[in-house]
Amino acid sequence: MTKKKECADGTINVEFRVSPDGRLFRYYENLWVAVEKEELLYYPEGGYWTCPRMSGYYSSLEECERAALVDLSWLNST
Protein backbone atom coordinates (compact mmCIF):
# COMPACT_ATOMS: atom_id res chain seq x y z
CA MET A 1 0.00 0.00 0.00
CA THR A 2 1.35 3.41 -0.99
CA LYS A 3 -0.30 6.79 -0.59
CA LYS A 4 1.25 9.84 -2.24
CA LYS A 5 0.88 13.63 -1.88
CA GLU A 6 2.57 16.10 -4.21
CA CYS A 7 3.36 19.82 -4.21
CA ALA A 8 1.67 22.05 -6.79
CA ASP A 9 4.59 22.14 -9.23
CA GLY A 10 5.29 18.39 -8.98
CA THR A 11 8.91 18.72 -7.86
CA ILE A 12 8.42 17.37 -4.32
CA ASN A 13 6.26 14.53 -3.12
CA VAL A 14 5.82 12.36 -0.08
CA GLU A 15 4.99 8.67 -0.19
CA PHE A 16 3.43 6.90 2.76
CA ARG A 17 4.30 3.21 2.72
CA VAL A 18 3.42 0.22 4.84
CA SER A 19 6.20 -2.10 6.02
CA PRO A 20 6.45 -5.58 4.46
CA ASP A 21 4.80 -7.16 7.50
CA GLY A 22 1.86 -4.73 7.23
CA ARG A 23 2.20 -3.43 10.80
CA LEU A 24 4.12 -0.16 10.53
CA PHE A 25 4.16 2.95 8.35
CA ARG A 26 6.80 5.44 7.28
CA TYR A 27 7.05 8.32 4.86
CA TYR A 28 9.61 9.10 2.17
CA GLU A 29 10.10 12.65 0.91
CA ASN A 30 11.17 12.70 -2.75
CA LEU A 31 12.74 15.70 -4.46
CA TRP A 32 13.14 16.27 -8.22
CA VAL A 33 16.60 17.58 -9.07
CA ALA A 34 16.73 19.36 -12.44
CA VAL A 35 20.04 19.10 -14.27
CA GLU A 36 21.99 21.55 -16.38
CA LYS A 37 22.01 21.29 -20.17
CA GLU A 38 25.40 19.55 -20.28
CA GLU A 39 24.09 16.74 -18.01
CA LEU A 40 21.12 15.85 -20.23
CA LEU A 41 23.14 13.06 -21.84
CA TYR A 42 23.10 11.27 -18.48
CA TYR A 43 19.60 12.39 -17.46
CA PRO A 44 17.58 12.71 -20.68
CA GLU A 45 14.38 13.33 -18.73
CA GLY A 46 15.86 16.60 -17.45
CA GLY A 47 16.71 15.44 -13.94
CA TYR A 48 16.27 12.70 -11.37
CA TRP A 49 14.44 11.90 -8.13
CA THR A 50 16.26 11.74 -4.80
CA CYS A 51 15.03 10.84 -1.33
CA PRO A 52 16.53 13.34 1.13
CA ARG A 53 14.28 12.40 4.05
CA MET A 54 12.78 9.19 5.38
CA SER A 55 10.89 8.94 8.64
CA GLY A 56 11.05 6.38 11.37
CA TYR A 57 8.24 3.87 11.76
CA TYR A 58 4.75 4.74 13.02
CA SER A 59 2.05 2.41 14.25
CA SER A 60 -0.70 3.84 12.02
CA LEU A 61 -1.03 5.64 8.72
CA GLU A 62 -2.79 8.53 10.46
CA GLU A 63 0.09 8.97 12.92
CA CYS A 64 2.57 8.87 10.02
CA GLU A 65 0.62 11.52 8.10
CA ARG A 66 0.43 13.80 11.16
CA ALA A 67 4.21 13.52 11.63
CA ALA A 68 4.80 14.37 7.97
CA LEU A 69 2.64 17.50 8.32
CA VAL A 70 4.85 18.63 11.22
CA ASP A 71 8.16 17.70 9.59
CA LEU A 72 7.55 18.78 5.98
CA SER A 73 6.55 22.44 5.86
CA TRP A 74 5.70 22.36 2.13
CA LEU A 75 3.03 19.73 2.82
CA ASN A 76 0.84 22.26 4.65
CA SER A 77 0.44 24.30 1.45
CA THR A 78 -0.90 21.43 -0.71
Side-chain angles (χ1 to χ4, degrees):
M1 189 258 344
T2 300
K3 183 177 181 180
K4 188 175 183 179
K5 293 185 180 182
E6 192 172 277
C7 74
D9 67 2
T11 59
I12 305 173
N13 67 55
V14 62
E15 293 179 359
F16 300 93
R17 299 182 193 171
V18 64
S19 62
D21 65 3
R23 295 180 178 178
L24 300 171
F25 299 84
R26 76 176 357 162
Y27 68 80
Y28 298 80
E29 181 185 35
N30 302 300
L31 174 66
W32 177 255
V33 177
V35 297
E36 300 294 325
K37 186 177 179 180
E38 51 275 349
E39 294 179 285
L40 290 176
L41 178 63
Y42 304 107
Y43 305 102
E45 294 161 357
Y48 57 92
W49 287 100
T50 184
C51 181
R53 185 178 299 180
M54 176 177 61
S55 73
Y57 282 109
Y58 295 91
S59 59
S60 71
L61 178 58
E62 294 78 22
E63 185 182 4
C64 186
E65 288 179 308
R66 282 193 303 270
L69 283 170
V70 170
D71 295 343
L72 309 175
S73 58
W74 65 266
L75 197 53
N76 292 308
S77 62
T78 60

